[in-house]
Amino acid sequence: MAKLTVRDVDVKGKRVFMRVDYNVPLEEKNGKMVITDATRIVETLPTLKLLIQKGGRLILTAHLGRPKGKREASMSLRPVADKLQELLGQPVAFADDCIGEQVEKIAAGLKDGEVALLENVRYYNEEEANDPAFAEKLAKVADVYVNDAFGAAHRAHASTEGVARVVAKRGGQCAAGLLMERELKFLGDELEKPARPFVVILGGAKVSDKIKVIDRLLEKADTILIGGAMAYTFRLAHGQKVGKSLVEPDRQEMALAAEAKAKQLKVNFELPSDVVVAKPVPTDKLNKKGKPVMDFVNIQTVTDAIPDDSEGFSIGEQTAAHYAQIILGAKTILWNGPMGMFEDARFAAGTNAVAKAVAEATQKHGAKSIIGGGDSVKALNQAKLGDQVSFMSTGGGASLEFLEGAVLPGVAALSDK
Ligand code: ADP
Ligand code: MG
């Protein structure tokens, strides 16, 4: 069902209560908290500018970190208000709380096109509990509700769900911001009726994380390419030796069932024909958890059995070339999950080759390419190809749930068109 967006709503003179994702990384410098990456703030500017231009009175709400219901000074949104003011080029009022008299006073003082940011909504436990009385308190300053925080939409919290229900019950409109609109367009509409061939690339660590996505996409895709550690559970299920690779022995049935379903639905289901393996050896250094940092020796590519002392860390060159060829013939591409442990340069080649093919299919052959999942986005950015694909989801966990076909509470609460 199509959802109302900020383009559709008349906000002139109205108080627009907007949920944003300002969960930015902060670092302490000379006793002050400083934002180290303002991407999430920058990304909201188009929605804010549109609403300002339409004459709305904006009241922004967000969470920062996990203060667990307490006022935690290091998790204050005040530095975000300063940064937003600078980026918007206009004053941003900051309320020291997210509910109560001060908020109501600031909201009442806003003129058309003016902006206020409320203090961390997770200073209250009622937020994550989606407490109805708390949602009523938030909604006191809301004529219209807007949600532009897709990354928080899979949680039914007071600021993502409860407050929308209150506004809707009063007859107010609840709309998606422009960021949210894009997420719904690419992860939703574009994949509903994909241009074919539709190639899905799935990787990452665990079969159990991705099985629901595999199951749903088997019904839509022409080809599914499997990579990452997930591939070793499939290998194990086929009776192949996996050495010390990350596997889920209790998911072998699931893996075989997915392959059987692919066969039945005539989906081309591909597993890596070669893998890069290495022998893990502990070093003298300890990590944060006090465990030895591992090094990897005897790096080699194998096609059949993975040696007993070794672990698989990536798809091999032959698989990467084969996958790239399939990707270059695609008209729609969905990629979720890296092809290996790309964070280590020695095991990044397979993921990088796939990233390059996705970028080329998009730039040269007009394919639509959609990237979901936090680590997949990191991998693409690491390969410096983030700007060469059609869409990178900001969602992380929310995008995975959306791809599984789940109804996200923060989306369901928005008004239908
Ligand atoms: P996303 O966040 O894109 O959904 P996942 O969280 O499912 O992706 O998986 C990403 C993680 O999986 C990465 O940290 C990567 O290092 C790890 N990974 C992928 N392949 C392997 C492998 N063969 N062995 C160990 N870890 C792997
Ligand atoms: Mg991840």
Side-chain angles (χ1 to χ4, degrees):
M1 180 75 74
K3 294 294 181 184
L4 209 65
T5 84
V6 282
R7 298 175 207 276
D8 310 314
V9 185
D10 174 18
V11 295
K12 183 152 178 57
K14 291 183 188 158
R15 295 168 305 170
V16 180
F17 189 85
M18 175 165 157
R19 178 63 156 97
V20 285
D21 180 1
Y22 286 165
N23 192 20
V24 293
L26 292 166
E27 229 169 57
E28 197 187 317
K29 272 191 196 141
N30 306 323
K32 257 184 80 178
M33 299 306 287
V34 180
I35 297 166
T36 54
D37 181 355
T39 308
R40 285 183 167 163
I41 307 174
V42 172
E43 281 175 337
T44 63
L45 295 177
T47 307
L48 295 179
K49 286 184 176 157
L50 176 66
L51 290 167
I52 289 167
Q53 185 209 326
K54 286 178 145 206
R57 304 171 177 197
L58 310 191
I59 300 147
L60 311 180
T61 185
H63 81 272
L64 183 62
R66 298 171 185 273
K68 305 225 168 95
K70 282 202 290 282
R71 289 191 75 93
E72 195 65 65
S74 66
M75 296 177 197
S76 170
L77 280 164
R78 193 177 283 276
V80 174
D82 295 341
K83 189 75 193 175
L84 179 60
Q85 180 159 302
E86 182 191 314
L87 290 167
L88 264 181
Q90 74 174 67
V92 173
F94 184 71
D96 202 25
D97 207 337
C98 63
I99 52 169
E101 253 171 56
Q102 197 207 351
V103 173
E104 284 159 46
K105 218 167 125 191
I106 288 177
L110 288 177
K111 297 195 188 74
D112 294 2
E114 290 187 345
V115 182
L117 174 65
L118 309 183
E119 184 53 289
N120 195 342
V121 70
R122 287 199 190 163
Y123 278 0
Y124 291 87
N125 276 327
E126 290 91 332
E127 158 68 357
E128 290 186 71
N130 199 6
D131 180 82
F134 183 69
E136 291 277 355
K137 286 180 195 165
L138 290 172
K140 271 201 163 169
V141 292
D143 298 318
V144 173
Y145 174 78
V146 172
N147 193 342
D148 216 12
F150 180 75
H154 57 318
R155 308 270 182 246
H157 293 167
S159 69
T160 61
E161 205 266 353
V163 63
R165 298 276 173 216
V166 177
V167 170
K169 213 163 81 192
R170 286 189 209 135
Q173 290 175 305
C174 301
L178 299 178
L179 277 178
M180 172 80 89
E181 181 190 34
R182 258 171 78 75
E183 297 276 354
L184 300 179
K185 170 173 156 19
F186 281 100
L187 298 179
D189 304 345
E190 295 286 357
L191 300 184
E192 208 48 58
K193 289 201 183 71
R196 296 191 179 278
F198 176 23
V199 174
V200 175
I201 312 157
L202 289 173
K206 291 179 174 173
V207 171
S208 53
D209 282 347
K210 304 286 160 86
I211 192 66
K212 282 193 199 154
V213 175
I214 297 177
D215 206 50
R216 173 152 181 271
L217 290 170
L218 272 170
E219 288 169 17
K220 298 187 184 289
D222 298 295
T223 294
I224 294 190
L225 306 174
I226 299 285
M230 197 159 74
Y232 311 126
T233 297
F234 283 91
R235 284 194 156 217
L236 187 67
H238 293 169
Q240 284 176 288
K241 287 189 162 220
V242 294
K244 292 184 163 174
S245 302
L246 191 63
V247 285
E248 295 175 284
D250 57 336
R251 302 293 169 162
Q252 294 179 73
E253 289 291 315
M254 220 173 229
L256 293 177
E259 282 184 274
K261 183 167 172 180
K263 204 166 178 187
Q264 184 208 335
L265 295 174
K266 300 197 167 56
V267 176
N268 177 28
F269 195 88
E270 303 259 358
L271 293 165
S273 57
D274 62 342
V275 293
V276 179
V277 307
K279 180 182 166 186
V281 286
T283 62
D284 298 338
K285 280 188 250 157
L286 297 181
N287 67 15
K288 279 184 209 151
K289 289 179 186 157
K291 288 202 178 138
V293 172
M294 301 303 273
D295 192 15
F296 304 105
V297 299
N298 299 350
I299 298 177
Q300 56 173 323
T301 301
V302 301
T303 47
D304 304 318
I306 297 175
D308 289 340
D309 65 357
S310 293
E311 188 175 344
F313 286 113
S314 175
I315 58 170
E317 210 174 307
Q318 182 184 303
T319 304
H322 177 57
Y323 283 8
Q325 204 175 15
I326 295 173
I327 292 164
L328 288 171
K331 279 284 167 264
T332 308
I333 301 160
L334 172 69
W335 183 8
N336 177 279
M339 297 290 98
M341 201 168 73
F342 71 95
E343 296 92 338
D344 186 320
R346 294 171 290 181
F347 308 114
T351 298
N352 288 345
V354 164
K356 215 173 130 219
V358 173
E360 197 176 323
T362 315
Q363 298 299 322
K364 294 202 183 138
H365 308 294
K368 262 196 194 122
S369 53
I370 299 163
I371 320 299
D375 293 297
S376 313
V377 168
K378 256 186 231 157
L380 214 71
N381 284 330
Q382 186 178 298
K384 300 210 160 50
L385 294 169
D387 58 350
Q388 312 261 317
V389 297
S390 311
F391 180 69
M392 287 201 294
S393 175
T394 59
S399 45
L400 194 63
E401 284 193 30
F402 197 71
L403 291 173
E404 287 171 359
V407 177
L408 307 188
V411 176
L414 302 176
S415 317
D416 293 328
K417 263 206 192 190

